[in-house]
Amino acid sequence: MKITAIKIIVASPGRNFVTVKVMTDQGLYGIGDATVNGREKAVVAYLEDHLVPCLIGRDPMRSEDIWQYLYKGAYWRRGPITMAAIAGIDMALWDIKAKAANMPLYQLLGGRSRDKVMVYKHVGGLDIGQVVEGVAALRDQGLDAIRAQVSIPGLPPIYGTGPSTDQSAGGMIQALPNEEVWATHKYLPLVPKLFEKIRDVVGWDVHLLHDVHHRLTPIEAARLGKDLEPFRLFWLEDAIPAELQEGFRIIRQHTTQPLAVGEVFNTVWDCQQLISEQLIDYIRVTSVHAGGVTGLKKIFDFAAIYHVRSACHGPMDVSPVAMGCNIHVDVAIPNFGIQEFSGYTEATHEMFPAAWSYDRGYLQPGEQPGHGVDIDEAVAARYPYEPAYLPVARLEDGTLTSW
């Protein structure tokens, strides 16, 4: 079998997606996701100008060798653009491989290690009462795990804390970066009050999560972790900027609160210290940003040695293709923890017909050969690329901070 052509499809059915379609001389083709939100065209150029010409005529079954070739063959390795481009190719190759074997992808990864994949969804609100109502409503829908965020009183709603963070409705993305305002000293005493109220309403059977969005220093995160311990959160996510891995030592020294991080990581080297020193409990890399199925498995297999569990990043800009690959990996690995799932627009589902399914807080990969997700190019043509950016945040004095 030989690769004969590779097509790059960019469309925006709610969010911009970069989809890779690898075709072969035996009629089989595979689909991959290569999206980097807000930098989509950079990945397109990397693919079209640097990767596609190197792959025509190669054997798509040699997915590991091709992964190594694309990774090691570039002197300038790693980074989100490179690894998303590799991810798009890699997912498509695994799709072809599993189709050729006439079995769902998870079977090629060792078969099922569990019967279903637990997810968490998001609730945001302008005040604590609004968030509590939202959490209770999701609990009534069968969710066993829920992430809760609240706006800071007196400040405009910041990313992830508005009245609705259900991304299936679209929105939240601006044509230019929206500049928001953040105040740590107002946030730190607010969050424990939020989770005290949530526990009073929903009890202790539901898993509760919280995302800090990298906005604290290590000692501030340590204080928050200690203050949240009485409410037994499933995790505290992205407590500090993740580039300085050793910063998590300070948090670990002061709190038993489980910690999660990793959605901005692209290779095992980006999280090697965090995992090997057991400074985190959940690693949140996702297939599209960590080099596809091959890269994701390398990270999760390494994490398993150190009792660190998986928690694939799964917002709306992780396309249904990457979500499908995540679910196949989730169901197969022994150290699965949880899967983020924020939903998709109807147009996105129409563009990406998928075998995977969601029901009352759990996902199933489906039994279709391959990873089970395709692309309807006619639908994609109706949704051209639109410039879009995530927001940025500034302190009240104007200093730029993490979002």
Side-chain angles (χ1 to χ4, degrees), residues 274-285:
L274 285 168
I275 292 172
S276 63
E277 294 188 19
Q278 300 180 65
L279 300 179
I280 59 173
D281 303 279
Y282 296 90
I283 179 66
R284 300 197 60 254
V285 290

Side-chain angles (χ1 to χ4, degrees), residues 13-180:
R15 293 287 180 93
N16 289 316
F17 297 117
V18 178
T19 306
V20 178
K21 186 173 185 178
V22 177
M23 290 154 280
T24 71
D25 60 355
Q26 294 188 18
L28 289 179
Y29 66 87
I31 301 296
D33 181 13
T35 305
V36 174
N37 186 273
R39 298 293 184 271
E40 299 88 355
K41 288 190 173 182
V43 189
V44 172
Y46 194 99
L47 282 161
E48 292 181 342
D49 296 340
H50 304 294
L51 297 195
V52 170
C54 298
L55 295 175
I56 303 304
R58 292 186 180 272
D59 180 357
M61 293 299 184
R62 297 182 62 172
S63 56
E64 177 68 30
D65 182 67
I66 289 175
W67 194 95
Q68 297 290 342
Y69 172 73
L70 297 178
Y71 181 80
K72 295 178 178 177
Y75 183 78
W76 310 105
R77 301 177 187 174
R78 301 163 60 182
I81 305 304
T82 295
M83 298 312 294
I86 292 175
I89 299 295
D90 184 77
M91 289 182 215
L93 298 186
W94 277 101
D95 195 22
I96 291 169
K97 192 191 297 280
K99 287 174 178 175
N102 195 34
M103 60 178 60
L105 173 58
Y106 74 81
Q107 294 288 14
L108 295 189
L109 303 177
R112 283 185 179 269
S113 288
R114 61 199 41 81
D115 297 326
K116 55 185 178 180
V117 171
M118 183 172 70
V119 309
Y120 71 92
K121 287 194 169 191
H122 310 158
V123 171
L126 299 177
D127 56 44
I128 288 176
Q130 199 172 68
V131 179
V132 172
E133 289 179 7
V135 171
L138 280 188
R139 182 59 173 158
D140 290 342
Q141 295 173 24
L143 270 290
D144 290 325
I146 302 165
R147 195 189 84 179
Q149 314 288 133
V150 67
S151 294
I152 297 173
L155 294 179
I158 200 166
Y159 180 84
T161 68
S164 173
T165 56
D166 179 0
Q167 297 186 29
S168 64
M172 294 199 301
I173 300 300
Q174 307 292 327
L176 290 174
N178 183 41
E179 298 195 9
E180 302 175 334

Side-chain angles (χ1 to χ4, degrees), residues 145-261:
I146 302 165
R147 195 189 84 179
Q149 314 288 133
V150 67
S151 294
I152 297 173
L155 294 179
I158 200 166
Y159 180 84
T161 68
S164 173
T165 56
D166 179 0
Q167 297 186 29
S168 64
M172 294 199 301
I173 300 300
Q174 307 292 327
L176 290 174
N178 183 41
E179 298 195 9
E180 302 175 334
V181 181
W182 172 256
T184 300
H185 69 288
K186 298 176 182 177
Y187 163 81
L188 287 175
L190 175 66
V191 176
K193 296 175 184 176
L194 168 67
F195 284 96
E196 181 179 22
K197 292 294 185 183
I198 294 174
R199 282 294 183 210
D200 286 344
V201 172
V202 302
W204 296 87
D205 291 339
V206 61
H207 299 301
L208 298 178
L209 304 83
H210 181 68
D211 187 355
V212 184
H213 287 107
H214 314 279
R215 293 175 181 137
L216 302 180
T217 66
I219 200 64
E220 289 168 345
R223 163 56 63 195
L224 180 60
K226 287 176 68 72
D227 289 346
L228 288 173
E229 283 179 8
F231 312 112
R232 301 293 179 94
L233 267 61
F234 187 90
W235 76 35
L236 187 66
E237 177 185 337
D238 292 347
I240 63 175
E243 292 91 337
L244 185 66
Q245 296 187 35
E246 61 215 55
F248 281 81
R249 290 179 189 158
I250 296 174
I251 309 173
R252 205 57 142 178
Q253 289 166 357
H254 293 284
T255 180
T256 59
Q257 172 59 58
L259 302 173
V261 75

